[in-house]
């Protein structure tokens, strides 16, 4: 159990004790006092205005347990460390709660013993509120107490007490447990001192984690003399005192996973020797007899093994195992009840079907009996009529014989139906036998299903691990996907910008193409005009050669004869025409 859970149980007792009218709420002034006391005993700096600040939005009314828990966790439990006296803390909570709930008049034990039982109750109680202790833990505590008092456990007495408990309750609260032990019901024949010593021994084992204690001789490190000391073994250390009253502590032997304990041969007049090797120094101890020596060696070795394995004290581990077993049994019981309900519902449906079938058979049998009765009655009437009208109906004898044959056929059909009903009855018996076998098969299947459910639970645990790994892979994939998405967005942006530039270039190209087509059209018009003019000149005047100023170089020969210009003049004109076209294109 975590430190926070242990502290919450004691604080819950103190909080409920302040709830005088049992309304589930406590005034803020009382919570201030409680919070201050908690901070004092747990050595936490107390903020006097923290409570008011925490509840500044609430009304002036009292505060419930649920409303106090956030403040308790934030300002107290989150700051607590294990450097305070746990017994002082429990004493403070006990003082607040015992004033309201403890009935001292009927108790055979002292207030100190009642306080120890209260602490044991908090240790053994369930982790749900209001706090209770179940019968299994009650039996465990009473067995421990009986063994500590040197008595023998009477199983029948406890069974009789369990029968007195309410079938729905089967548990006790802290004050009912104190009343049970304090009444002496399970310590008859024991005096008060023996009962008090037994309570103290159980308290030291369960609450103070004292696994073993007793007088032994210890060899000194400096003077090498032997001195009797009272030794007290706890899970992580051994303390030794001058006496069993624990008034003067002489030292500690710290235990860890590297410690060892071994038996020694008798020497220097000392017997039953054993050696404890710790990380700091070694200690020679002498027990009173061989039994005590072996018990101490075994107890110390057990503590060292637990420290090596990182496990808690044996009684704490046993308590957790009992708790886990109860939870497992409760889950199995709930599952069994669910299956029993399902089987019961299926059985009821089957019984209903069988009842309907039985009613159908009874109705069919009644109909057959009625039909037989009518047939017998008709047959009797026909026989009477045949005897009285035999002479008169000789002419129609053949017809009557045919009617008798028809009736015989009907009788045969009826008998066939009766046989079918008998077959149905046998089939019903076979169906009932099949149902009995089916129930046996169902029981076998139910056991198989239980085994399969266990395997399914194991597979489910493996699937959960696979699911966690998949979740991690999905998270990594999601991060990569986001990075790719950002790159895609950047590329799309660049692509969109390029498309815009491409559209702009396309528009410019269209404009240039339109200008080019316009120039080509003008050139074509000019060419047509020139051809028309030359044709007219050739038609009216014959071959005519236009003479223009130019070079005296070689003349160009055309289809109509020598040209009016030379090749050099043609190249010059083409060059000028190309320059004019380029200037027009740049201007557009």
């Amino acid at each position: 159990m975590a430190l926070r859970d242990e502290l919450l149980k004691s604080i819950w007792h103190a909080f409920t004790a302040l709830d005088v009218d049992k309304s589930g709420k406590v005034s803020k002034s009382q919570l201030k006092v409680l919070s201050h006391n908690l901070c004092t005993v747990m050595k936490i700096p107390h903020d006097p205005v923290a409570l008011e600040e925490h509840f500044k939005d609430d009304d002036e009314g009292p505060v419930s347990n649920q409303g106090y828990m956030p403040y308790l966790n934030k300002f107290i439990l989150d700051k607590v460390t294990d450097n305070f006296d746990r017994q002082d803390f429990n004493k403070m909570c006990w003082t607040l709660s015992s004033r309201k709930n403890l009935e001292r008049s009927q108790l055979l034990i002292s207030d100190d013993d009642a306080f120890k039982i209260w602490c044991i109750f908090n240790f053994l109680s369930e982790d749900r509120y209001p706090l209770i202790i179940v019968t299994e833990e009650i039996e465990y505590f009473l067995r421990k107490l009986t063994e500590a008092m040197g008595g023998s456990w009477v199983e029948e007495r406890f069974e009789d007490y369990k029968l007195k408990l309410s079938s729905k309750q089967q548990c006790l609260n802290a004050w009912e447990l104190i009343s049970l032990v304090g009444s002496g019901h399970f310590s008859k024949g024991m005096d008060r001192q023996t009962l008090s010593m037994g309570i103290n021994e159980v308290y030291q084992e369960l609450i103070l984690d004292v696994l073993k204690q007793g007088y032994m001789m210890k060899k000194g490190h400096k003077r090498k003399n032997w001195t009797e000391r009272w030794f007290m073994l706890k899970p992580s250390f051994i303390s030794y005192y001058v006496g069993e009253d624990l008034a003067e502590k002489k030292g500690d032997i710290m235990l860890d996973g590297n410690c060892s304990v071994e038996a020694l041969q008798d020497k220097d007049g000392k017997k039953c020797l054993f050696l404890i090797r710790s990380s700091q120094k070694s200690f020679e101890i002498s027990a009173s007899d061989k039994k005590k020596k072996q018990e101490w060696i075994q107890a110390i070795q057990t503590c060292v093994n637990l420290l090596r394995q990182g496990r808690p004290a044996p009684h704490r581990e046993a308590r957790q195992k009992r708790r886990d077993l109860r939870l497992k049994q409760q889950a199995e019981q709930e599952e069994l009840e669910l299956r029993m309900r399902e089987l019961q519902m299926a059985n009821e449906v089957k019984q209903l079907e069988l009842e309907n079938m039985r009613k159908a058979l009874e109705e069919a049998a009644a109909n057959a009996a009625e039909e037989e009765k009518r047939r017998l009655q008709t047959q009797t009437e026909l026989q009477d009529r045949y005897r009285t009208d035999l002479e008169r109906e000789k002419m129609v004898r053949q017809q009557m014989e045919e009617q008798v044959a028809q009736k015989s056929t009907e009788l045969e059909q009826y008998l066939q139906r009766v046989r079918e009903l008998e077959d149905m009855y046998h089939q019903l018996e076979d169906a009932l036998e099949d149902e009995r076998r089916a129930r046996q098969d169902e029981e076998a299947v139910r056991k198989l299903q239980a085994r399969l459910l266990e395997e399914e639970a194991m597979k489910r645990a493996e699937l959960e691990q696979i699911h966690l790994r998949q979740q991690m892979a999905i998270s990594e994939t999601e991060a990569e996907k986001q990075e790719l998405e950002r790159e895609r967005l950047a590329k799309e942006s660049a692509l969109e910008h390029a498309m815009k530039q491409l559209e702009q270039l396309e528009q410019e190209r269209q404009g240039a193409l339109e200008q080019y087509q316009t120039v080509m059209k003008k050139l074509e018009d000019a060419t047509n005009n020139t051809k028309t003019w030359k044709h007219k000149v050739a038609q009216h005047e014959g071959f005519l050669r236009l003479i223009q100023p130019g070079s005296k170089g070689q003349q160009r020969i055309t289809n109509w004869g020598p040209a009016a210009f030379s090749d050099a003049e043609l190249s010059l004109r083409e060059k000028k025409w190309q320059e004019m076209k380029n200037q027009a294109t740049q201007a557009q």
Side-chain angles (χ1 to χ4, degrees):
M1 181 188 301
L3 175 62
R4 180 186 293 262
D5 295 333
E6 292 183 1
L7 299 178
L8 275 177
K9 289 186 176 182
S10 300
I11 296 173
W12 178 83
H13 283 291
F15 184 90
T16 53
L18 297 177
D19 181 14
V20 180
D21 55 356
K22 297 182 179 180
S23 63
K25 295 184 177 181
V26 179
S27 65
K28 290 183 181 178
S29 59
Q30 291 176 312
L31 291 180
K32 286 182 180 179
V33 176
L34 175 61
S35 302
H36 183 270
N37 291 335
L38 290 175
C39 292
T40 301
V41 297
M42 290 191 290
K43 298 180 181 180
I44 300 173
H46 179 59
D47 187 357
V49 298
L51 186 65
E52 289 293 341
E53 289 291 329
H54 187 73
F55 295 107
K56 62 183 179 180
D57 296 332
D58 294 351
D59 55 14
E60 298 298 327
V63 179
S64 65
N65 184 23
Q66 292 80 5
Y68 183 58
M69 279 301 297
Y71 167 80
L72 183 65
N73 288 323
K74 180 178 180 181
F75 293 97
I76 298 179
L77 296 181
D78 289 346
K79 301 178 180 179
V80 70
T81 57
D82 201 8
N83 63 344
F84 63 94
D85 192 337
R86 194 81 59 84
Q87 191 168 2
D88 290 343
F89 168 77
N90 289 330
K91 278 284 187 182
M92 187 272 292
C93 296
W94 159 258
T95 302
L96 292 176
S97 58
S98 62
R99 292 175 182 174
K100 175 184 176 182
N101 300 290
L102 184 62
E103 294 290 341
R104 295 176 172 81
S105 58
Q106 303 296 328
L107 298 181
L108 302 177
I109 57 177
S110 63
D111 284 356
D112 186 57
D113 293 335
F115 163 72
K116 293 175 181 178
I117 297 174
W118 180 79
C119 293
I120 294 172
F121 168 85
N122 290 339
F123 176 75
L124 297 177
S125 63
E126 300 297 299
D127 291 335
R128 61 177 185 267
Y129 296 89
L131 294 176
I132 57 167
I133 181 172
V134 297
T135 53
E136 181 184 358
E137 300 295 339
I138 297 173
E139 181 180 2
Y140 171 79
F141 169 57
L142 294 178
R143 278 180 182 271
K144 280 277 187 185
L145 182 59
T146 304
E147 293 173 0
M149 292 187 298
S152 57
W153 176 253
V154 182
E155 187 72 29
E156 293 78 7
R157 183 182 298 174
F158 184 74
E159 292 297 330
D160 294 339
Y161 174 74
K162 285 204 312 186
L163 293 176
K164 295 179 182 179
L165 292 176
S166 170
S167 59
K168 293 184 179 180
Q169 183 181 1
Q170 290 295 315
C171 58
L172 298 176
N173 60 29
W175 316 110
E176 291 171 342
L177 181 64
I178 294 173
S179 176
L180 174 63
V181 178
S183 64
H185 181 72
F186 288 93
S187 59
K188 293 181 180 179
M190 303 287 182
D191 55 12
R192 295 190 177 186
Q193 184 178 1
T194 303
L195 177 60
S196 178
M197 291 175 63
I199 294 172
N200 183 60
E201 182 175 340
V202 177
Y203 172 78
Q204 287 186 345
E205 178 183 353
L206 299 183
I207 306 304
L208 302 182
D209 294 337
V210 177
L211 304 181
K212 191 170 181 60
Q213 55 185 341
Y215 280 108
M216 291 190 295
M217 301 293 292
K218 172 185 170 296
K219 185 178 181 179
H221 287 88
K222 295 181 178 180
R223 298 182 181 180
K224 307 299 181 181
N225 58 335
W226 291 88
T227 310
E228 185 179 46
R229 297 291 185 230
W230 176 263
F231 286 82
M232 182 178 292
L233 172 63
K234 292 190 176 183
S236 59
F237 62 91
I238 304 174
S239 300
Y240 51 94
Y241 301 82
V242 174
E244 59 183 300
D245 57 357
L246 311 181
E248 183 180 353
K249 185 176 181 179
K250 301 299 291 182
D252 292 322
I253 302 175
M254 305 306 297
L255 301 178
D256 54 31
N258 299 322
C259 293
S260 63
V261 56
E262 59 185 24
L264 298 178
Q265 298 293 331
D266 298 342
K267 62 179 180 179
D268 299 335
K270 295 296 179 182
K271 298 181 179 181
C272 305
L273 296 175
F274 62 93
L275 178 67
I276 303 175
R277 298 181 185 275
S278 68
S279 57
Q280 299 176 349
K281 58 180 69 174
S282 300
F283 299 85
E284 293 186 20
I285 309 296
S286 173
S288 58
D289 52 49
K290 292 183 178 180
K291 181 181 179 182
K292 292 289 182 62
K293 169 187 172 181
Q294 189 61 31
E295 289 177 353
W296 274 97
I297 290 176
Q298 185 175 0
I300 296 172
Q301 188 62 48
T302 300
C303 291
V304 173
N305 293 336
L306 292 175
L307 289 171
R308 289 174 182 170
Q309 300 171 8
R311 293 163 52 192
H315 59 278
R316 296 182 181 273
E317 188 175 20
R319 178 197 60 181
Q320 189 60 40
K321 289 182 178 179
R322 293 195 303 272
R323 224 171 248 180
D324 295 340
L325 181 60
R326 281 198 300 274
L327 293 175
K328 181 179 179 181
Q329 290 175 348
Q330 183 180 359
E332 291 177 351
Q333 181 67 22
E334 292 176 355
E335 183 179 359
L336 180 60
E337 290 177 356
L338 178 60
R339 292 193 177 183
M340 289 300 294
R341 286 195 296 268
E342 292 176 353
L343 290 176
Q344 185 177 2
M345 292 176 62
N347 188 29
E348 290 176 356
V349 172
K350 198 71 175 178
Q351 291 292 339
L352 183 60
E353 292 178 356
L354 291 176
E355 183 67 21
N356 293 334
M357 188 178 296
R358 185 185 62 80
K359 290 180 179 180
L361 289 175
E362 290 178 354
E363 184 178 355
N367 293 335
E370 184 67 25
E371 187 176 350
E372 178 67 15
K373 183 178 178 181
R374 289 196 302 267
R375 189 191 64 81
L376 292 175
Q377 184 178 358
T378 304
Q379 187 177 4
T380 303
E381 291 176 356
L382 289 174
Q383 289 176 356
D384 292 342
R385 186 180 300 174
Y386 289 157
R387 282 192 298 265
T388 57
D389 298 340
L390 183 59
E391 294 295 334
R392 189 178 57 189
E393 296 180 353
K394 287 181 179 181
M395 300 299 292
V396 292
R397 181 175 181 180
Q398 185 65 30
Q399 183 179 0
M400 293 300 296
E401 288 177 355
E402 293 176 358
Q403 291 180 356
V404 170
Q406 183 180 1
K407 293 296 181 182
S408 298
T409 304
E410 293 178 356
L411 177 60
E412 184 64 27
Q413 292 177 353
Y414 168 73
L415 292 176
Q416 180 67 23
R417 189 170 183 181
V418 170
R419 286 193 294 270
E420 291 176 355
L421 290 175
E422 290 177 353
D423 292 339
M424 290 178 64
Y425 178 74
H426 292 309
Q427 291 176 1
L428 177 60
E429 290 182 345
D430 294 339
L432 292 175
E433 180 64 21
D434 292 340
E435 180 188 2
R436 184 183 64 80
R437 293 177 182 174
R439 288 182 179 175
Q440 295 177 354
D441 295 340
E442 181 182 5
E443 181 66 21
V445 170
R446 185 185 66 79
K447 294 180 180 179
L448 178 60
Q449 287 178 346
R451 181 173 62 81
L452 291 176
L453 286 175
E454 293 179 358
E455 296 178 357
E456 182 183 357
M458 296 174 61
K459 293 294 184 180
R460 184 175 297 172
E462 295 177 1
L463 289 176
E464 287 179 356
Q465 294 179 359
I466 294 173
H467 178 68
L468 290 176
R469 293 195 293 269
Q470 288 179 347
Q471 288 294 332
M472 293 176 63
I474 288 172
S475 300
E476 296 175 358
T477 306
E478 186 66 25
E480 296 176 358
K481 182 179 178 182
Q482 291 178 357
E483 182 65 24
L484 292 175
E485 182 67 20
R486 287 194 295 269
E487 294 179 1
R488 185 185 66 81
L489 293 176
K491 291 181 178 179
E492 286 183 353
S493 178
L495 179 61
E496 184 178 358
H497 182 68
M499 289 297 294
K500 289 181 179 179
Q501 292 180 349
L502 183 60
E503 290 178 357
Q504 184 176 359
L505 292 174
E506 182 65 21
Q507 291 176 359
E508 292 177 357
R509 188 186 68 79
Q510 290 292 339
L513 182 60
E514 290 176 356
Q515 292 177 1
Y516 174 74
Q517 290 176 351
T518 302
V519 173
M520 288 299 294
K521 187 176 181 182
K522 290 179 179 180
L523 180 61
E524 184 179 358
D525 293 340
T527 303
N528 291 334
N529 292 333
T530 303
K531 287 182 179 180
T532 303
W533 178 78
K534 286 182 178 181
H535 181 69
K536 288 180 179 181
V537 171
Q539 188 176 7
H540 292 285
E541 299 179 3
F543 292 97
L544 177 64
R545 182 171 62 90
L546 298 177
I547 300 174
Q548 294 180 356
S551 63
K552 297 294 184 177
Q554 185 178 358
Q555 291 184 341
R556 181 176 181 85
I557 304 301
T558 65
N559 293 332
W560 297 281
F565 49 85
S566 63
D567 291 336
E569 291 174 341
L570 178 61
S571 299
L572 182 61
R573 290 186 180 186
E574 287 179 352
K575 185 176 180 180
K576 289 182 179 181
W577 177 83
Q578 187 65 33
E579 289 178 358
M580 291 174 62
K581 181 180 177 182
N582 292 338
Q583 291 176 1
T585 303
Q586 292 176 0
Q588 290 178 0

